[in-house]
Amino acid sequence: MPEPAPLAAEPETVRQNRLRLSLVWIVPIVAVLIGIGLVLRSLLLAGPQITIEFRSADGIEARRTEVRFKEVVIGHVRRVQLRPDHQAVLVTVDLDKSAESLAVEDARFWIVRPRIGTGGVSGLSTLLSGAYIGVDAGASTEPRREFTGLDNPPLVLRDEHGSSFVLRADDLGSLDVGSPVYHRRVPVGRVVGYTLDADHESLQVQVFISAPYDKLVDRRSRFWNASGVELALNAGGLTLNTQSLVSMIAGGVAFADPPDAQPGAAVESGHAFKLYDTEHAAMAPRDGRPMRVRMVFAQSLRGLEAGAPIDLLGIEIGTVRSIGFLAEPASGKLPMEVMADLYPARMGALRGRRAPGVEREKSDRALVGRLVEHGLRAQLRAGNLLTGAQYVALDFVPKAAPVRFDAAAALPTLPTVPGTLDSLQAQVADIVAELSKVRFGAIGSQLQSTLKSLDTTGASLQAVLTSADATLRQLTPAAREALAGVQQTLKQTEQTLQQAQKTLSSADANLLDERAPLQRNAGQTLAEMQRAAQSLRVLADYLQRHPESLLRGKPADPDTGAASVGDPKEQAPK
């Protein structure tokens, strides 16, 4: 009997471990772990998120515009949106962890784009890379997350080395933010701002001078407005002065130390200086306190302007402050009042020393009073014949009428005299009036008549000369020889008379009585010879005028009737 087949082995139940992962899940798990690591890393490395408010988002793009500090990228723009009132733009920026310390209370942000201004051209690199947000690090340690962006880049960064100074001026002129500051025509700084004082009477200009040039500024330094071109026409000729082409267009400020000045003490940043209008005014010696005076002129002040100089014997000692009317209804005139500032310090040795216990102002007024007593008067004079500008000259007038100078008055008055120009105009007017009385028309008519008469006489004389010349050409050679002989006889007779006069004058005075008859005879002989010479001279003149008488004879006298041509009495004039 066959053996039965063995029964199949009972299956063994094996329980699967649910915790065991398949190899398929390894890749996703690794990816998740990497993602978690990246998230953790980004969270650990992420910096603060800040919001900057700008007037416009021109050039800013979300996720593309960078934030740079010293040209190093420290963040990116995440989002750009309008403010709820639509008056500004809110830009959300993600800063790097390394730039977290820049998001402080006094940090400044602005948009860097191409700009052309008085300070030059900036932001040219953004033409290719696009606009970006610039950062100026603050000095505070207080964190901040919301900022207001600047419309323009700051002219002075907080990490820029140098010093700032304040210049006080009456007006801004052509200066502007970014105008250069020069020292010996080398640009060493720039204008960074300007503000009006609380009383609005003056202006404060802030300038920044870069290191190490800021050490050149001390208490003796003088600043002046170097804008445009300074053109002067004086006795030395035409003078043209300018700092540079940039200052001619954009304005500028220059500073230097006065010549022969003692070394000055160093000044701290923020020290205030006076801004002069010109280099000449800045380099002039210190004027000290001015003395206000008034002058009254009874004439036109055309050509005299505020700022015109006042000189004493050629030395400028003051300036004109204002010009106005001073009404005097009783006299029916309108005299002109001139207010001026005199600087007695410019008088030098003339000022002298003040007496002990006397104030300097009283001493200066007393000096002016003494000068007035000696004839000092104010007078208008022409300063430039081309422009018609005038100035006030203080000069001593001889025999001037006595005038009292009230030195104790609040506003003393300097006496005046008419200007030289007015006197010249009066003299010219008198000359013109006298010339207007002359009858130039009648004189011209008489002169024309005289000229016509002269022309007629000249024509007649020319005809006579022509006729005489023709007659002389018709004379025979014998007549010409006879005429030449007569002239030679006249010359010999004159020589004989001269020799006789010399002989008589050399005779001895003691023999006058003995030789009296001889001298009388000689005198009679000389008289006869003179008469003969005179007759010969008359004959020669007659022959010159009537040479035809040698051939035809003298014509008959109308009173005695016709005479014979051969009569010798008629041939020679009596």
PDB file of all heavy atoms in Angstrom, residues 226-258:
ATOM      1  N   ALA A 226      32.609 134.154  -4.035  1.00  0.00           N
ATOM      2  CA  ALA A 226      33.423 134.107  -5.254  1.00  0.00           C
ATOM      3  C   ALA A 226      32.585 133.762  -6.466  1.00  0.00           C
ATOM      4  O   ALA A 226      33.095 133.224  -7.446  1.00  0.00           O
ATOM      5  CB  ALA A 226      34.559 133.096  -5.093  1.00  0.00           C
ATOM      6  N   SER A 227      31.298 134.066  -6.443  1.00  0.00           N
ATOM      7  CA  SER A 227      30.415 133.726  -7.551  1.00  0.00           C
ATOM      8  C   SER A 227      30.620 134.686  -8.717  1.00  0.00           C
ATOM      9  O   SER A 227      30.932 135.854  -8.524  1.00  0.00           O
ATOM     10  CB  SER A 227      28.961 133.776  -7.111  1.00  0.00           C
ATOM     11  OG  SER A 227      28.745 132.925  -6.005  1.00  0.00           O
ATOM     12  N   GLY A 228      30.410 134.171  -9.932  1.00  0.00           N
ATOM     13  CA  GLY A 228      30.444 135.002 -11.121  1.00  0.00           C
ATOM     14  C   GLY A 228      31.828 135.546 -11.419  1.00  0.00           C
ATOM     15  O   GLY A 228      32.845 134.946 -11.100  1.00  0.00           O
ATOM     16  N   VAL A 229      31.841 136.744 -12.020  1.00  0.00           N
ATOM     17  CA  VAL A 229      33.074 137.383 -12.466  1.00  0.00           C
ATOM     18  C   VAL A 229      33.170 138.749 -11.813  1.00  0.00           C
ATOM     19  O   VAL A 229      32.199 139.507 -11.787  1.00  0.00           O
ATOM     20  CB  VAL A 229      33.111 137.529 -14.003  1.00  0.00           C
ATOM     21  CG1 VAL A 229      34.376 138.247 -14.445  1.00  0.00           C
ATOM     22  CG2 VAL A 229      33.027 136.166 -14.662  1.00  0.00           C
ATOM     23  N   GLU A 230      34.332 139.063 -11.270  1.00  0.00           N
ATOM     24  CA  GLU A 230      34.571 140.383 -10.683  1.00  0.00           C
ATOM     25  C   GLU A 230      35.338 141.224 -11.685  1.00  0.00           C
ATOM     26  O   GLU A 230      36.496 140.937 -12.016  1.00  0.00           O
ATOM     27  CB  GLU A 230      35.373 140.251  -9.384  1.00  0.00           C
ATOM     28  CG  GLU A 230      35.595 141.578  -8.680  1.00  0.00           C
ATOM     29  CD  GLU A 230      36.379 141.425  -7.386  1.00  0.00           C
ATOM     30  OE1 GLU A 230      36.612 140.267  -6.978  1.00  0.00           O
ATOM     31  OE2 GLU A 230      36.753 142.454  -6.795  1.00  0.00           O
ATOM     32  N   LEU A 231      34.678 142.250 -12.210  1.00  0.00           N
ATOM     33  CA  LEU A 231      35.253 143.121 -13.225  1.00  0.00           C
ATOM     34  C   LEU A 231      35.424 144.509 -12.636  1.00  0.00           C
ATOM     35  O   LEU A 231      34.477 145.086 -12.109  1.00  0.00           O
ATOM     36  CB  LEU A 231      34.351 143.172 -14.460  1.00  0.00           C
ATOM     37  CG  LEU A 231      34.859 143.968 -15.653  1.00  0.00           C
ATOM     38  CD1 LEU A 231      36.108 143.308 -16.231  1.00  0.00           C
ATOM     39  CD2 LEU A 231      33.787 144.068 -16.728  1.00  0.00           C
ATOM     40  N   ALA A 232      36.646 145.035 -12.707  1.00  0.00           N
ATOM     41  CA  ALA A 232      36.938 146.349 -12.132  1.00  0.00           C
ATOM     42  C   ALA A 232      37.660 147.194 -13.170  1.00  0.00           C
ATOM     43  O   ALA A 232      38.583 146.727 -13.838  1.00  0.00           O
ATOM     44  CB  ALA A 232      37.792 146.221 -10.867  1.00  0.00           C
ATOM     45  N   LEU A 233      37.239 148.454 -13.312  1.00  0.00           N
ATOM     46  CA  LEU A 233      37.865 149.413 -14.207  1.00  0.00           C
ATOM     47  C   LEU A 233      38.309 150.596 -13.367  1.00  0.00           C
ATOM     48  O   LEU A 233      37.498 151.347 -12.842  1.00  0.00           O
ATOM     49  CB  LEU A 233      36.885 149.861 -15.295  1.00  0.00           C
ATOM     50  CG  LEU A 233      37.417 150.877 -16.308  1.00  0.00           C
ATOM     51  CD1 LEU A 233      38.580 150.269 -17.091  1.00  0.00           C
ATOM     52  CD2 LEU A 233      36.318 151.325 -17.257  1.00  0.00           C
ATOM     53  N   ASN A 234      39.629 150.726 -13.201  1.00  0.00           N
ATOM     54  CA  ASN A 234      40.172 151.788 -12.365  1.00  0.00           C
ATOM     55  C   ASN A 234      41.416 152.359 -13.012  1.00  0.00           C
ATOM     56  O   ASN A 234      41.673 152.128 -14.192  1.00  0.00           O
ATOM     57  CB  ASN A 234      40.474 151.244 -10.950  1.00  0.00           C
ATOM     58  CG  ASN A 234      41.249 149.934 -10.998  1.00  0.00           C
ATOM     59  OD1 ASN A 234      42.076 149.744 -11.889  1.00  0.00           O
ATOM     60  ND2 ASN A 234      40.987 149.035 -10.058  1.00  0.00           N
ATOM     61  N   ALA A 235      42.182 153.120 -12.204  1.00  0.00           N
ATOM     62  CA  ALA A 235      43.375 153.758 -12.753  1.00  0.00           C
ATOM     63  C   ALA A 235      44.413 152.740 -13.193  1.00  0.00           C
ATOM     64  O   ALA A 235      45.245 153.019 -14.053  1.00  0.00           O
ATOM     65  CB  ALA A 235      43.989 154.711 -11.709  1.00  0.00           C
ATOM     66  N   GLY A 236      44.380 151.545 -12.600  1.00  0.00           N
ATOM     67  CA  GLY A 236      45.328 150.502 -12.982  1.00  0.00           C
ATOM     68  C   GLY A 236      44.942 149.753 -14.231  1.00  0.00           C
ATOM     69  O   GLY A 236      45.683 148.896 -14.683  1.00  0.00           O
ATOM     70  N   GLY A 237      43.769 150.030 -14.800  1.00  0.00           N
ATOM     71  CA  GLY A 237      43.317 149.344 -15.998  1.00  0.00           C
ATOM     72  C   GLY A 237      42.121 148.461 -15.709  1.00  0.00           C
ATOM     73  O   GLY A 237      41.428 148.606 -14.694  1.00  0.00           O
ATOM     74  N   LEU A 238      41.890 147.527 -16.605  1.00  0.00           N
ATOM     75  CA  LEU A 238      40.762 146.598 -16.514  1.00  0.00           C
ATOM     76  C   LEU A 238      41.215 145.334 -15.807  1.00  0.00           C
ATOM     77  O   LEU A 238      42.195 144.695 -16.221  1.00  0.00           O
ATOM     78  CB  LEU A 238      40.230 146.270 -17.912  1.00  0.00           C
ATOM     79  CG  LEU A 238      38.979 145.394 -17.987  1.00  0.00           C
ATOM     80  CD1 LEU A 238      37.796 146.116 -17.368  1.00  0.00           C
ATOM     81  CD2 LEU A 238      38.676 145.023 -19.430  1.00  0.00           C
ATOM     82  N   THR A 239      40.528 144.956 -14.714  1.00  0.00           N
ATOM     83  CA  THR A 239      40.878 143.781 -13.930  1.00  0.00           C
ATOM     84  C   THR A 239      39.727 142.790 -13.969  1.00  0.00           C
ATOM     85  O   THR A 239      38.590 143.150 -13.673  1.00  0.00           O
ATOM     86  CB  THR A 239      41.187 144.161 -12.469  1.00  0.00           C
ATOM     87  OG1 THR A 239      42.238 145.136 -12.463  1.00  0.00           O
ATOM     88  CG2 THR A 239      41.628 142.941 -11.675  1.00  0.00           C
ATOM     89  N   LEU A 240      40.027 141.538 -14.335  1.00  0.00           N
ATOM     90  CA  LEU A 240      39.044 140.466 -14.391  1.00  0.00           C
ATOM     91  C   LEU A 240      39.488 139.373 -13.438  1.00  0.00           C
ATOM     92  O   LEU A 240      40.604 138.877 -13.524  1.00  0.00           O
ATOM     93  CB  LEU A 240      38.919 139.915 -15.812  1.00  0.00           C
ATOM     94  CG  LEU A 240      37.942 138.758 -16.024  1.00  0.00           C
ATOM     95  CD1 LEU A 240      36.524 139.236 -15.764  1.00  0.00           C
ATOM     96  CD2 LEU A 240      38.054 138.196 -17.431  1.00  0.00           C
ATOM     97  N   ASN A 241      38.610 139.003 -12.501  1.00  0.00           N
ATOM     98  CA  ASN A 241      38.963 138.033 -11.475  1.00  0.00           C
ATOM     99  C   ASN A 241      37.834 137.037 -11.298  1.00  0.00           C
ATOM    100  O   ASN A 241      36.666 137.419 -11.179  1.00  0.00           O
ATOM    101  CB  ASN A 241      39.250 138.739 -10.139  1.00  0.00           C
ATOM    102  CG  ASN A 241      39.770 137.767  -9.091  1.00  0.00           C
ATOM    103  OD1 ASN A 241      40.279 136.702  -9.413  1.00  0.00           O
ATOM    104  ND2 ASN A 241      39.635 138.131  -7.831  1.00  0.00           N
ATOM    105  N   THR A 242      38.157 135.739 -11.299  1.00  0.00           N
ATOM    106  CA  THR A 242      37.196 134.679 -11.043  1.00  0.00           C
ATOM    107  C   THR A 242      37.945 133.478 -10.500  1.00  0.00           C
ATOM    108  O   THR A 242      39.144 133.306 -10.750  1.00  0.00           O
ATOM    109  CB  THR A 242      36.423 134.309 -12.319  1.00  0.00           C
ATOM    110  OG1 THR A 242      35.456 133.308 -12.006  1.00  0.00           O
ATOM    111  CG2 THR A 242      37.353 133.778 -13.385  1.00  0.00           C
ATOM    112  N   GLN A 243      37.244 132.638  -9.724  1.00  0.00           N
ATOM    113  CA  GLN A 243      37.866 131.462  -9.133  1.00  0.00           C
ATOM    114  C   GLN A 243      37.980 130.327 -10.138  1.00  0.00           C
ATOM    115  O   GLN A 243      39.028 129.717 -10.289  1.00  0.00           O
ATOM    116  CB  GLN A 243      37.062 131.006  -7.909  1.00  0.00           C
ATOM    117  CG  GLN A 243      37.124 131.971  -6.741  1.00  0.00           C
ATOM    118  CD  GLN A 243      38.503 132.077  -6.139  1.00  0.00           C
ATOM    119  OE1 GLN A 243      39.228 131.102  -6.032  1.00  0.00           O
ATOM    120  NE2 GLN A 243      38.888 133.285  -5.755  1.00  0.00           N
ATOM    121  N   SER A 244      36.904 130.015 -10.844  1.00  0.00           N
ATOM    122  CA  SER A 244      36.899 128.943 -11.818  1.00  0.00           C
ATOM    123  C   SER A 244      35.665 129.076 -12.689  1.00  0.00           C
ATOM    124  O   SER A 244      34.770 129.891 -12.425  1.00  0.00           O
ATOM    125  CB  SER A 244      36.919 127.572 -11.139  1.00  0.00           C
ATOM    126  OG  SER A 244      35.698 127.340 -10.457  1.00  0.00           O
ATOM    127  N   LEU A 245      35.606 128.257 -13.733  1.00  0.00           N
ATOM    128  CA  LEU A 245      34.436 128.259 -14.608  1.00  0.00           C
ATOM    129  C   LEU A 245      33.201 127.767 -13.870  1.00  0.00           C
ATOM    130  O   LEU A 245      32.093 128.236 -14.114  1.00  0.00           O
ATOM    131  CB  LEU A 245      34.714 127.379 -15.834  1.00  0.00           C
ATOM    132  CG  LEU A 245      33.604 127.301 -16.881  1.00  0.00           C
ATOM    133  CD1 LEU A 245      33.323 128.674 -17.460  1.00  0.00           C
ATOM    134  CD2 LEU A 245      33.987 126.330 -17.987  1.00  0.00           C
ATOM    135  N   VAL A 246      33.389 126.826 -12.921  1.00  0.00           N
ATOM    136  CA  VAL A 246      32.251 126.310 -12.152  1.00  0.00           C
ATOM    137  C   VAL A 246      31.649 127.403 -11.290  1.00  0.00           C
ATOM    138  O   VAL A 246      30.425 127.539 -11.178  1.00  0.00           O
ATOM    139  CB  VAL A 246      32.690 125.104 -11.297  1.00  0.00           C
ATOM    140  CG1 VAL A 246      31.549 124.614 -10.417  1.00  0.00           C
ATOM    141  CG2 VAL A 246      33.182 123.981 -12.195  1.00  0.00           C
ATOM    142  N   SER A 247      32.498 128.225 -10.658  1.00  0.00           N
ATOM    143  CA  SER A 247      31.981 129.299  -9.803  1.00  0.00           C
ATOM    144  C   SER A 247      31.262 130.370 -10.610  1.00  0.00           C
ATOM    145  O   SER A 247      30.365 131.028 -10.104  1.00  0.00           O
ATOM    146  CB  SER A 247      33.133 129.931  -9.010  1.00  0.00           C
ATOM    147  OG  SER A 247      34.048 130.572  -9.878  1.00  0.00           O
ATOM    148  N   MET A 248      31.628 130.542 -11.883  1.00  0.00           N
ATOM    149  CA  MET A 248      30.925 131.495 -12.723  1.00  0.00           C
ATOM    150  C   MET A 248      29.500 131.042 -12.990  1.00  0.00           C
ATOM    151  O   MET A 248      28.586 131.850 -13.120  1.00  0.00           O
ATOM    152  CB  MET A 248      31.670 131.678 -14.047  1.00  0.00           C
ATOM    153  CG  MET A 248      33.032 132.330 -13.925  1.00  0.00           C
ATOM    154  SD  MET A 248      33.942 132.370 -15.484  1.00  0.00           S
ATOM    155  CE  MET A 248      32.789 133.261 -16.508  1.00  0.00           C
ATOM    156  N   ILE A 249      29.278 129.711 -13.063  1.00  0.00           N
ATOM    157  CA  ILE A 249      27.966 129.175 -13.394  1.00  0.00           C
ATOM    158  C   ILE A 249      27.173 128.850 -12.134  1.00  0.00           C
ATOM    159  O   ILE A 249      26.010 129.238 -11.989  1.00  0.00           O
ATOM    160  CB  ILE A 249      28.116 127.922 -14.276  1.00  0.00           C
ATOM    161  CG1 ILE A 249      28.869 128.285 -15.569  1.00  0.00           C
ATOM    162  CG2 ILE A 249      26.758 127.316 -14.593  1.00  0.00           C
ATOM    163  CD1 ILE A 249      29.193 127.099 -16.425  1.00  0.00           C
ATOM    164  N   ALA A 250      27.792 128.109 -11.208  1.00  0.00           N
ATOM    165  CA  ALA A 250      27.076 127.598 -10.040  1.00  0.00           C
ATOM    166  C   ALA A 250      27.369 128.375  -8.771  1.00  0.00           C
ATOM    167  O   ALA A 250      26.817 128.050  -7.719  1.00  0.00           O
ATOM    168  CB  ALA A 250      27.437 126.129  -9.820  1.00  0.00           C
ATOM    169  N   GLY A 251      28.198 129.405  -8.839  1.00  0.00           N
ATOM    170  CA  GLY A 251      28.539 130.141  -7.622  1.00  0.00           C
ATOM    171  C   GLY A 251      29.627 129.434  -6.836  1.00  0.00           C
ATOM    172  O   GLY A 251      29.991 128.287  -7.116  1.00  0.00           O
ATOM    173  N   GLY A 252      30.122 130.091  -5.829  1.00  0.00           N
ATOM    174  CA  GLY A 252      31.169 129.509  -5.014  1.00  0.00           C
ATOM    175  C   GLY A 252      31.573 130.428  -3.879  1.00  0.00           C
ATOM    176  O   GLY A 252      31.226 131.608  -3.850  1.00  0.00           O
ATOM    177  N   VAL A 253      32.309 129.851  -2.931  1.00  0.00           N
ATOM    178  CA  VAL A 253      32.822 130.571  -1.760  1.00  0.00           C
ATOM    179  C   VAL A 253      34.318 130.333  -1.698  1.00  0.00           C
ATOM    180  O   VAL A 253      34.793 129.221  -1.986  1.00  0.00           O
ATOM    181  CB  VAL A 253      32.141 130.090  -0.471  1.00  0.00           C
ATOM    182  CG1 VAL A 253      32.760 130.765   0.754  1.00  0.00           C
ATOM    183  CG2 VAL A 253      30.649 130.367  -0.515  1.00  0.00           C
ATOM    184  N   ALA A 254      35.077 131.348  -1.353  1.00  0.00           N
ATOM    185  CA  ALA A 254      36.522 131.236  -1.194  1.00  0.00           C
ATOM    186  C   ALA A 254      36.914 131.784   0.168  1.00  0.00           C
ATOM    187  O   ALA A 254      36.218 132.628   0.735  1.00  0.00           O
ATOM    188  CB  ALA A 254      37.258 131.976  -2.309  1.00  0.00           C
ATOM    189  N   PHE A 255      38.028 131.291   0.680  1.00  0.00           N
ATOM    190  CA  PHE A 255      38.524 131.788   1.963  1.00  0.00           C
ATOM    191  C   PHE A 255      40.044 131.823   1.921  1.00  0.00           C
ATOM    192  O   PHE A 255      40.694 131.089   1.161  1.00  0.00           O
ATOM    193  CB  PHE A 255      38.025 130.925   3.136  1.00  0.00           C
ATOM    194  CG  PHE A 255      38.688 129.582   3.254  1.00  0.00           C
ATOM    195  CD1 PHE A 255      39.787 129.379   4.086  1.00  0.00           C
ATOM    196  CD2 PHE A 255      38.207 128.496   2.537  1.00  0.00           C
ATOM    197  CE1 PHE A 255      40.389 128.144   4.198  1.00  0.00           C
ATOM    198  CE2 PHE A 255      38.797 127.250   2.640  1.00  0.00           C
ATOM    199  CZ  PHE A 255      39.896 127.073   3.478  1.00  0.00           C
ATOM    200  N   ALA A 256      40.609 132.704   2.727  1.00  0.00           N
ATOM    201  CA  ALA A 256      42.066 132.867   2.835  1.00  0.00           C
ATOM    202  C   ALA A 256      42.341 133.664   4.090  1.00  0.00           C
ATOM    203  O   ALA A 256      41.426 134.199   4.731  1.00  0.00           O
ATOM    204  CB  ALA A 256      42.643 133.543   1.599  1.00  0.00           C
ATOM    205  N   ASP A 257      43.612 133.761   4.433  1.00  0.00           N
ATOM    206  CA  ASP A 257      44.046 134.556   5.576  1.00  0.00           C
ATOM    207  C   ASP A 257      44.519 135.919   5.096  1.00  0.00           C
ATOM    208  O   ASP A 257      45.140 136.029   4.032  1.00  0.00           O
ATOM    209  CB  ASP A 257      45.182 133.852   6.316  1.00  0.00           C
ATOM    210  CG  ASP A 257      44.733 132.544   6.937  1.00  0.00           C
ATOM    211  OD1 ASP A 257      43.535 132.426   7.236  1.00  0.00           O
ATOM    212  OD2 ASP A 257      45.566 131.638   7.113  1.00  0.00           O
ATOM    213  N   PRO A 258      44.234 136.988   5.835  1.00  0.00           N
ATOM    214  CA  PRO A 258      44.696 138.316   5.427  1.00  0.00           C
ATOM    215  C   PRO A 258      46.217 138.367   5.353  1.00  0.00           C
ATOM    216  O   PRO A 258      46.916 137.665   6.090  1.00  0.00           O
ATOM    217  CB  PRO A 258      44.157 139.241   6.528  1.00  0.00           C
ATOM    218  CG  PRO A 258      43.058 138.475   7.185  1.00  0.00           C
ATOM    219  CD  PRO A 258      43.446 137.032   7.073  1.00  0.00           C
TER     220      PRO A 258
END
